[in-house]
Amino acid sequence: MKIGFIGSGDISRFHIDALINNQFEIEAIGTRLNSLRCLQLAESVNLVDKYCSNGWEEVLTKDVDAFCICVDISKTPKILNNVLKIGKPVLVEKPISFHLNDFEDLTKDPMKDNIFVGYNRRYYETVQTLKGFCENSIEGGTVFANIPDTITGYKQFLNTGCHVIDTLRYLLGDFKILKKVVRHRKEQANVFAISALCNNEKWSILINAQNKIPSNFSITINMEDLVYELKPLEKLTIYKGIEVIEPSLKEPIRRYIPKINSSFTELNSFKPGFDNMYKNFGKFVKNNLVDFCDINDARKTAEVCWELIS
């Protein structure tokens, strides 16, 4: 399968490695007009002869089976709209846009079914395993999601926090925000803390999003008599039972330590989730039914993100 690749940023090399591993042939690569960074990327992966000095518009002129868009989010909607006019499948990096009106336009596009959104966390084996447990649960349970960031700003939350929101929706289904509290530091509006109580028919969900703190993304699900913890999302730990450690001279307090039932860490020679994502994209290009995030799904994730910060 031949692909036109549009991108040259830090994440692009991970995309290219996973594409090649899944029998994609990079037929063209380009971003901005005469982009030195893109040329250097092409050189590093032996694709100099595929480099398009006239930028992404030249990439669109090539005879390919599909496209991949991995550029700055502010540039993504314009490029995506032009790719859709060609009528070929396209994998586009999340979250696609910082503006909800772009999603409204894209969901009305007659070629919208060609969009495969690159929410790679869905393809973690840890997330896939946990999804199976959630789907088999009859009664559901309670969920805590932690979305921290050392970088301030709402755009940063829309760009990285969306991963956790999408993963929550993928695991639990759509949910409603019942109540939220948003706090800001005085004279620092871009430093914020958000707490939100959400639910659906099976799950009660507490979301905590706060920037400028040293912490990890995590999702903890209390289900039946077990606790399932993704922390970070690349590691799944399942707890069952409690070990009670009596006070001692060294530790003069009684401790209650959850017992680890099993633990699994995402291990792959590729960026986590990418290889499995491109396996599915390959099937998508061949018109096979696959599990993926479409534009309507991406829009719902963006709407939740905006509802949290608005």
Side-chain angles (χ1 to χ4, degrees), residues 24-310:
F24 283 96
E25 179 184 346
I26 311 297
E27 183 66 19
I29 178 171
T31 49
R32 298 176 303 280
L33 185 68
N34 296 317
S35 169
L36 176 60
R37 189 175 188 182
C38 188
L39 175 59
Q40 291 170 337
L41 173 62
E43 290 174 340
S44 71
V45 290
N46 299 315
L47 292 171
V48 175
D49 58 325
K50 305 298 182 182
Y51 169 66
C52 296
S53 60
N54 289 322
W56 61 267
E57 291 175 308
E58 183 181 348
V59 175
L60 300 193
T61 67
K62 303 299 181 179
D63 183 17
V64 298
D65 300 299
F67 293 93
C68 178
I69 302 174
C70 178
V71 298
D72 185 277
I73 299 303
S74 64
K75 308 293 192 302
T76 298
K78 177 181 179 180
I79 297 175
L80 178 56
N81 279 311
N82 279 274
V83 169
L84 290 177
K85 294 174 184 177
I86 298 173
K88 298 286 181 69
V90 53
L91 186 145
V92 56
E93 260 285 8
K94 60 77 200 169
I96 295 181
S97 176
F98 293 127
H99 307 287
L100 291 179
N101 61 312
D102 286 325
F103 288 97
E104 184 175 353
D105 293 340
L106 287 166
T107 53
K108 295 176 182 177
D109 194 290
M111 292 290 107
K112 66 179 181 180
D113 291 339
N114 281 335
I115 302 173
F116 185 116
V117 186
Y119 273 107
N120 64 298
R121 266 66 167 180
R122 290 183 173 215
Y123 298 99
Y124 285 7
E125 290 185 41
T126 54
V127 172
Q128 292 284 325
T129 299
L130 183 52
K131 182 176 176 63
F133 288 125
C134 292
E135 289 178 341
N136 290 330
S137 173
I138 297 173
E139 297 181 357
T142 58
V143 182
F144 173 72
N146 189 39
I147 311 176
D149 210 311
T150 56
I151 302 174
T152 62
Y154 286 103
K155 279 192 175 181
Q156 179 69 11
F157 174 77
L158 293 171
N159 191 35
T160 59
C162 64
H163 269 304
V164 178
I165 298 302
D166 179 76
T167 303
L168 281 173
R169 293 186 52 256
Y170 182 65
L171 292 171
L172 313 173
D174 288 325
F175 53 83
K176 292 182 179 180
I177 298 175
L178 302 177
K179 178 72 175 180
K180 69 170 183 176
V181 177
V182 182
R183 300 182 185 277
H184 299 90
R185 287 191 187 176
K186 291 182 179 179
E187 300 179 358
Q188 285 185 287
N190 63 339
V191 181
F192 60 83
I194 302 168
S195 295
L197 179 63
C198 317
N199 81 336
N200 60 21
E201 291 182 357
K202 283 177 64 175
W203 308 99
S204 297
I205 308 160
L206 179 62
I207 297 174
N208 182 69
Q210 186 170 352
N211 58 20
K212 217 169 185 181
I213 59 169
S215 186
N216 246 323
F217 287 141
S218 65
I219 296 174
T220 303
I221 300 179
N222 302 315
M223 185 174 14
E224 280 81 45
D225 61 342
L226 299 171
V227 174
Y228 301 81
E229 182 183 64
L230 291 171
K231 185 178 182 180
L233 301 188
E234 293 84 1
K235 182 177 182 179
L236 173 63
T237 305
I238 303 174
Y239 300 93
K240 183 175 183 179
I242 289 286
E243 178 185 1
V244 180
I245 301 177
E246 296 298 332
S248 65
L249 291 176
K250 186 177 180 181
E251 291 283 349
I253 57 171
R254 182 175 287 108
R255 286 171 290 160
Y256 299 86
I257 311 298
K259 293 181 180 179
I260 296 178
N261 181 270
S262 61
S263 182
F264 171 73
T265 301
E266 185 84 13
L267 295 174
N268 202 301
S269 57
F270 299 93
K271 184 173 175 62
F274 271 46
D275 191 48
N276 195 21
M277 179 174 72
Y278 277 108
K279 279 186 176 70
N280 280 270
F281 184 57
K283 296 175 183 177
F284 180 79
V285 173
K286 295 177 181 177
N287 294 315
N288 293 324
L289 291 175
V290 293
D291 184 12
F292 76 107
C293 178
D294 63 16
I295 187 60
N296 290 306
D297 226 359
R299 176 182 181 175
K300 289 178 182 178
T301 291
E303 287 173 343
V304 173
C305 291
W306 270 106
E307 187 174 354
L308 285 170
I309 65 176
S310 62

